[in-house]
């Protein structure tokens, strides 16, 4: 049976798409589904599958959440802190930078590459550089503060500043992606809208408020959801910037994903760790649904 050109094109399309599908099924979907099974068992990292314990791992997480100094409670509290610090800062800064880059005509590509470069840089490398920048006395920031007569700051060495310091690095690293997406959205806004508004006497802030911001609604919702998920899953920067990678000092920077890693590969309690991942999955799902529901309506026009 001879296939038509159209049938052959469709067949080849599915053949190439199947590669990505197999990758996601084996690398992403299967481990994710397996975690639901592991969460219901007393699973040891070295011994493997243990007896079925039902919801005992979830009950243990619930009990730990109410203990004032528990690692799990600190992990969820800090993760929420990263979201509250990072998402608004990234959204506002990225939009401001995108608006400025949209006005640049000379060397615009160079500036865009400069902002995007940290996003494609390894988190380990980023953490190494910023650990040096944050070093007391010998770090670059310490030297700048000394020149400006500003008191030396402990940054990641202080429980009061460590979380905000790491959140600032996370914003810096991921800012470029948001800038590029914002720029793409801004470029899609027809210039005729601005021309008509200027004829009616609008300018400056009014143009931004009544044209740019509403028409960027899909971009804002998309980036807000993506940024929130990114900060909820923060791991590499925390592990490489906190003392001994434990989420210190005094549990001030630990996250849920770091706690999953510690429970699974330090305490070898993979059942508890898998239950944490399931809880985090539903937290992310709930927050995403809420954001899609309310942010979309908030910017309707």
């Amino acid at each position: 049976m001879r296939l038509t050109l159209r049938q052959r094109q469709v067949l080849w399309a599915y053949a190439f798409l199947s590669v990505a599908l197999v990758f996601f099924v084996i690398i992403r979907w299967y481990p994710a589904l397996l975690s639901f099974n592991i969460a219901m068992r007393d699973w040891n990292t070295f011994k493997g599958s243990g007896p079925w314990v039902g919801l005992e791992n979830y009950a243990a997480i619930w009990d730990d959440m109410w203990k004032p100094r528990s690692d799990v409670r600190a992990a969820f509290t800090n993760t929420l802190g990263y979201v509250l610090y990072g998402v608004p800062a990234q959204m506002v800064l990225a939009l401001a930078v995108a608006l400025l880059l949209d006005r640049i005509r000379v060397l615009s590509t160079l500036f865009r590459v400069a902002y995007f470069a940290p996003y494609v840089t390894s988190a380990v490398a980023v953490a190494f550089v910023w650990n040096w920048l944050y070093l007391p006395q010998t770090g670059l920031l310490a030297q700048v503060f000394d020149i400006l007569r500003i008191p030396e700051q402990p940054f990641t060495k202080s429980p009061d500043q460590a979380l905000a310091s790491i959140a600032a690095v996370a914003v810096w690293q991921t800012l470029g992606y948001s800038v590029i997406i914002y720029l793409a959205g801004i470029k899609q806004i027809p210039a005729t809208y601005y021309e008509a508004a200027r004829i009616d006497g609008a300018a400056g802030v009014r143009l931004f408020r009544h044209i740019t911001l509403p028409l960027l609604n899909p971009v804002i919702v998309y980036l807000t959801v993506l940024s929130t998920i990114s900060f909820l899953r923060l791991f590499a920067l925390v592990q490489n910037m906190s003392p001994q990678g434990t989420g210190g000092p005094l549990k001030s920077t630990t996250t849920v994903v770091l706690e999953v890693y510690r429970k699974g590969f330090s305490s070898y309690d993979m059942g508890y760790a898998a239950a944490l991942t399931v809880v985090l999955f539903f937290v992310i799902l709930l927050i995403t649904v809420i954001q899609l529901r309310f942010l979309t309506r908030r910017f309707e026009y």
Side-chain angles (χ1 to χ4, degrees), residues 175-194:
L175 184 70
Y177 178 80
S178 298
V179 168
I180 296 300
I181 300 299
Y182 269 131
L183 271 173
I186 292 171
K187 295 295 185 183
Q188 294 300 313
I189 300 176
T192 53
Y193 289 2
Y194 292 104

Side-chain angles (χ1 to χ4, degrees), residues 153-231:
Q153 302 299 315
F155 295 117
T156 56
K157 308 301 181 183
S158 167
D160 297 327
Q161 296 185 11
L163 189 146
S165 298
I166 295 178
V169 177
V171 171
W172 175 83
Q173 184 184 16
T174 56
L175 184 70
Y177 178 80
S178 298
V179 168
I180 296 300
I181 300 299
Y182 269 131
L183 271 173
I186 292 171
K187 295 295 185 183
Q188 294 300 313
I189 300 176
T192 53
Y193 289 2
Y194 292 104
E195 294 170 0
R198 290 190 182 96
I199 292 174
D200 290 337
V205 177
R206 293 183 63 187
L207 288 175
F208 172 77
R209 179 181 176 184
H210 296 288
I211 296 180
T212 306
L213 198 59
L215 292 178
L216 283 178
N217 175 35
V219 175
I220 291 172
V221 174
Y222 169 75
L223 288 177
T224 301
V225 171
L226 204 66
S227 299
T228 302
I229 294 174
S230 175
F231 280 97

Side-chain angles (χ1 to χ4, degrees), residues 29-71:
W29 295 353
Y30 175 71
L33 293 174
L34 185 61
S35 65
F36 285 87
N37 176 49
I38 298 176
M40 295 289 188
R41 297 180 181 275
D42 182 14
W43 192 298
N44 184 278
T45 305
F46 291 111
K47 297 178 181 179
S49 178
W52 183 272
V53 295
L55 299 176
E56 287 186 12
N57 288 319
Y58 296 102
I61 293 173
W62 179 258
D63 291 339
D64 288 341
M65 281 293 296
W66 297 103
K67 296 177 182 178
R69 298 183 180 180
S70 73
D71 294 341

